[in-house]
Every structure is written in C-alpha cells, then in structure tokens.
Amino acid sequence: MIEDRSLDDFAADDDGDESAESAPDDAEGDGVDPDEATDAAPATDAAPATATSTWHADGAECDRCGERIDRRWRDDDAFVCPDCASW
C-alpha cells in the first residue's frame, strides 16, 4: 500500500539553505586570499621560450641561401629553409 505524504515530510531539517554546508568556513580555508593569489607571478628560474620555427603567409628569405619560403626553422641564430637546416 502507498503512503500518502505531504511535502513537509520531505522538507530539509534545516532552513533549506544549503549554501551554509557547501561554503567553506573561513577558519577551515587555506588562508590564501583569492584576490592576492592572482596578483603574484609564479616564481620561476626557467628561461623564456624560444621559437623554433616561423611561418609567413607572404614568405620570408632563408637567412643562409636567400630562398623565399613560407616556413623557416631556427638553426643556431638563423632562420633557414629545410635544405639549409642542419638536421
């Protein structure tokens, strides 16, 4: 037999405010203010990234042979065509 229940039987025991349970308490936090955390740059000793190739829609000259090519690769301090690259 199916029981007849009212909506009150399914109501939460508290006032229905679930945000109190899901929001972290300040005392339980990690002590980091989110606004302050985004202002600081990460500490790193790494060198900046260096491009290993370039691409030009109109083409660019190979630094060694002068051939005009769309894509050039870094070889030491020069950007070169595939024929001049030392692979």
Side-chain angles (χ1 to χ4, degrees):
M1 183 166 162
I2 300 174
E3 289 184 35
D4 189 22
R5 295 184 176 178
S6 69
L7 291 177
D8 292 336
D9 293 338
F10 298 103
D13 291 336
D14 61 358
D15 62 359
D17 184 16
E18 294 180 22
S19 63
E21 291 179 19
S22 61
D25 190 10
D26 289 341
E28 295 175 13
D30 59 4
V32 176
D33 183 3
D35 294 328
E36 291 178 14
T38 57
D39 291 343
T44 180
D45 293 330
T50 302
T52 56
S53 69
T54 62
W55 182 85
H56 299 276
D58 297 331
E61 290 183 6
C62 170
D63 289 344
R64 294 214 177 108
C65 71
E67 181 182 349
R68 193 155 196 84
I69 191 161
D70 293 342
R71 188 166 183 186
R72 301 177 304 162
W73 285 263
R74 179 180 299 277
D75 192 21
D76 295 325
D77 289 333
F79 283 102
V80 298
C81 67
D83 293 335
C84 293
S86 60
W87 14 49

